[in-house]
Amino acid sequence: MKTGVCIALVLGFFLFASPATAADPSCRELEREYVGATFIAKEPLYDTVIGYAGIIKLERDKQEIRPGATVRVKDIECGGSRVEVTLKQVTEGREHNKVEIRFRISKIEREAAAGMSDFRKMWAFVLDDVPSGEEPASGSELY
């Protein structure tokens, strides 16, 4: 009996969790724009939380991505009050050092008139575009 209830709860969670993300048009827009794209880290990235005014929390670790390193966006997940971005460092075509960073911007704020512009400003606190026509740096020569 307990096993059946547990299985039902797990299945219910997956059935209700997927439509919530799918119903979030701002999240789909972020996924289309950023997932698979390559950027340059402007700040050390490990357990980083970003808000409207800049970095709220910056935790450092041996596995961090250092400033100047090239990163690829692997995944974006949106919740009610945040956007979580999974990044991997790219060095000589190989991906390593997976980190997750969080942006404190709610679904209501993302879907407001200036919401995506606000998110892009927050993004620019920690990540920069790869200069066009140039090979991205690996970041290892900075340290």
Side-chain angles (χ1 to χ4, degrees):
M1 174 79 176
K2 287 183 180 182
T3 305
V5 171
C6 289
I7 291 171
L9 287 173
V10 170
L11 289 175
F13 173 76
F14 286 113
L15 290 174
F16 289 110
S18 296
T21 302
D24 186 342
S26 63
C27 195
R28 284 194 310 267
E29 182 178 339
L30 293 174
E31 288 171 344
R32 279 192 305 270
E33 184 172 343
Y34 293 109
V35 173
T38 306
F39 297 90
I40 303 296
K42 293 167 80 172
E43 299 290 337
L45 300 173
Y46 177 66
D47 188 9
T48 309
V49 179
I50 303 101
Y52 281 98
I55 296 174
I56 297 169
K57 176 183 171 192
L58 179 62
E59 186 174 310
R60 310 274 316 253
D61 186 90
K62 289 187 229 178
Q63 302 290 313
E64 74 182 28
I65 295 174
R66 294 184 173 170
T70 302
V71 298
R72 181 166 294 124
V73 179
K74 300 305 288 179
D75 188 35
I76 293 181
E77 292 183 22
C78 301
S81 63
R82 49 112 187 104
V83 173
E84 289 185 8
V85 179
T86 303
L87 303 169
K88 278 202 163 186
Q89 185 172 346
V90 180
T91 306
E92 298 174 3
R94 288 189 9 235
E95 295 179 351
H96 55 97
N97 288 358
K98 176 181 164 185
V99 300
E100 291 184 4
I101 61 175
R102 284 172 289 292
F103 295 87
R104 287 195 181 160
I105 183 168
S106 70
K107 179 181 177 186
I108 292 170
E109 292 167 325
R110 290 190 310 268
E111 292 179 354
M116 286 304 177
S117 176
D118 290 342
F119 180 81
R120 287 179 185 92
K121 287 176 190 171
M122 294 166 71
W123 185 270
F125 288 134
V126 291
L127 295 164
D128 201 5
D129 291 332
V130 174
S132 60
E134 291 184 22
E135 274 299 307
S138 68
S140 59
E141 58 276 336
L142 295 175
Y143 291 90

